[in-house]
Amino acid sequence: MPRPGKNSYSDQKPPYSYISLTAMAIQSSSEKMLPLSDIYKFIMDRFPYYRENTQRWQNSLRHNLSFNDCFIKIPRRPDQPGKGSFWALHPDCGDMFENGSFLRRRKRFKVLRAEHLASKNHQMIHYFHNQHNQTKLGLASSEGATMAGIGRLPHFQPYNINGSQSTGFRHPFAIENIIGRDYKGVMAGGLPLASMMHHFGYPVPSQLSNMVSSMWPHVGMMDSMTGMAVPQDYGHFGVPMKTICHASGQTIPAVPVPIKPTASLPSVSAIPSLAVNPSSMCPSQTTQAGVAVSLLAQSSASHPETKGTMLHSVLVHS
DNA sequence: TAGTGTTTACTAGTTG
DNA sequence: CAACTAGTAAACACTA
């Protein structure tokens, strides 16, 4: 990577693959699906590098959308006139990048043929249309998830039901998770940033997020609570950071939980720090964490293999 | 007609 | 070193 301080980084190529960039764009949308033109726009808005050679990278991006099973095409409804379809993330593609590199996945996400047909052409469409309707109706998230049959889909939490990201969960592809993601279980919370930097050849989140904020200041900022980068627009719960938890004026250390499930990972109920004490948290954090833990417990019961992933976004008051 | 979507082919880099 | 992933180019079909 070029050294900071020299010229501007804004026209440097971001350290993300097209898959990452596309996923970020999709995850940034309120309905978790975007038409191609809006994906282009998201990328160009945030990464000046992609304001040039548009034909080249947009062709590549379209290739990725078609080629990779992690993206699903959602046909427009009659009340959504326009060109092209919407693109969304496959619910099960959440941990493709669990090795921490957003340039290269640990494995290509591939759905089984039968699932491919069913899931890409029916179930997902059904879900997204349901989600849209429930968003309009303001149904509770768990209710909506059940109705849409998405409760069976472990990685895909129904964000933005009720018009806000109220569950406290963030899809692993959410831009703030991609940019400011925990690295192989490193605890960002009480560790001096400088000491973390010595451990990895590739930037750990603090490095990466510092780099990102210096290269692309319009993308994100450092989260004072976690040392992780978050976009300027959102905190970890999809609301401006100021509104999250500063009632007492003090910063509350947050402990990102390793995204990768480990053999030693205790059950949710066995994690002392997850025994959330509502009185010790600000209201929004209480609600968010409560819902998160509750959903997590639900999901873990039926999908224990996803526990680690689900835990990733739960911020724990230490 | 421009934008969108699919497919094939190739190169380069990474991983096991 | 084989297998894999990412990026790129290009051809072609479809459609608003």
Side-chain angles (χ1 to χ4, degrees), chain A residues 245 252 271-290 293 314-318:
Chain A
C245 189
I252 298 176
I271 303 174
S273 54
L274 280 179
V276 178
N277 173 10
S279 64
S280 67
M281 304 175 70
C282 68
S284 61
Q285 197 175 15
T286 302
T287 307
Q288 307 289 359
V293 171
V314 179
L315 298 178
V316 180
H317 180 229
S318 60

Side-chain angles (χ1 to χ4, degrees), chain A residues 82-97:
Chain A
K83 226 173 179 184
S85 307
F86 286 89
W87 289 94
L89 285 169
H90 191 287
D92 288 341
C93 71
D95 61 348
M96 279 190 306
F97 291 91

